[in-house]
Structure formats: structure tokens, C-alpha cells
Amino acid sequence: MKLENNGLEGKQVDLNRLDDLMSSYGLVREGQWDYERVTYDRKFELKEGIYYLRVFGYAVEGDVGAHKALIQLLTPLLGKYYYPHGVEYGDGEHFPASLVKQSEKILSDINGELDKIVK
């Protein structure tokens, strides 16, 4: 499920500042990166299943591996995890309304913080 209209898509921010900000909202980068792309994940374990809020970005300048990059954010996604196949984001998936609302709030709060640091 695409989580649009939250203001994140297209914003550009320094990788190190982004890592700190995302971490403060429970979104971790861990090993989900290469030299040009990043993925921040927050895991939700509910009675309905396991879900992931994912925020993607790519380096418009610099190198992620060197921790010197300017990251442009893409549209965040909400997905449901299925063992052993992975995360599905499709329109046919059911996402609890409370999870969608919580995810939208997290993204809105992150956008507010980014507005303070991104020119």
C-alpha cells in the first residue's frame, strides 16, 4: 500500500541526519542499503500478522557506504509479511485501519521534523 500525500516524496536530506531522524521514530536502516539506495523499516507485530512500514530513498549525490550522501526520499509503503515469501504491498492486501493511521502519523511527524532541517 502506497502511503502518499505525506510530504516525504522528493525531499532531499543528508544521510546521517536522516539515519538519526528515522531511528528516533523506530525506522532502522540496518543492512538494507547499497551504495545508491537506502530502505528504512519499522516492524509491526499485530494479531492480524506482521507488517512493515518502509521508507525508500536513493543517493542523488555521494555514496551511502561512505556515509556521505544526499538522499532523495520516495513514496513510503506499508506491506504485509508472508513467510517464506517476503513482504507484499498489493491492493489485495488487508491493512488494519489502526495500523494505517499510526503509519500515517509517523510519516507526518517525520515530515514535520524534515521541514525544520531541509531547505
Side-chain angles (χ1 to χ4, degrees):
M1 164 183 235
K2 287 185 178 181
L3 296 171
E4 300 173 306
N5 302 319
N6 51 50
L8 293 180
E9 187 173 350
K11 282 205 167 139
Q12 296 182 357
V13 62
D14 174 76
L15 173 66
N16 296 309
R17 293 183 98 176
L18 188 59
D19 282 348
D20 290 343
L21 177 62
M22 293 298 202
S23 176
S24 70
Y25 285 93
L27 287 138
V28 294
R29 183 161 55 102
E30 296 293 332
Q32 298 102 311
W33 65 273
D34 64 19
Y35 295 100
E36 298 172 345
R37 294 173 287 190
V38 294
T39 302
Y40 296 92
D41 284 342
R42 179 163 172 176
K43 183 178 183 180
F44 296 91
E45 294 185 47
L46 307 174
K47 66 180 177 181
E48 295 90 344
I50 297 174
Y51 298 87
Y52 285 92
L53 172 59
R54 290 199 158 152
V55 179
F56 302 95
Y58 66 94
V60 292
E61 292 177 16
D63 181 316
V64 173
H67 299 281
K68 292 184 179 183
L70 181 64
I71 303 297
Q72 182 163 326
L73 297 174
L74 302 173
T75 303
L77 298 175
L78 190 59
K80 184 171 183 181
Y81 176 76
Y82 292 95
Y83 177 82
H85 303 292
V87 180
E88 295 290 332
Y89 309 100
D91 292 333
E93 298 299 327
H94 168 74
F95 297 98
S98 61
L99 174 63
V100 173
K101 185 175 181 179
Q102 182 180 8
S103 297
E104 288 173 341
K105 170 85 167 87
I106 290 166
L107 296 173
S108 176
D109 291 349
I110 289 170
N111 186 52
E113 293 293 322
L114 285 176
D115 283 343
K116 296 175 187 175
I117 62 174
V118 175
K119 297 176 183 176

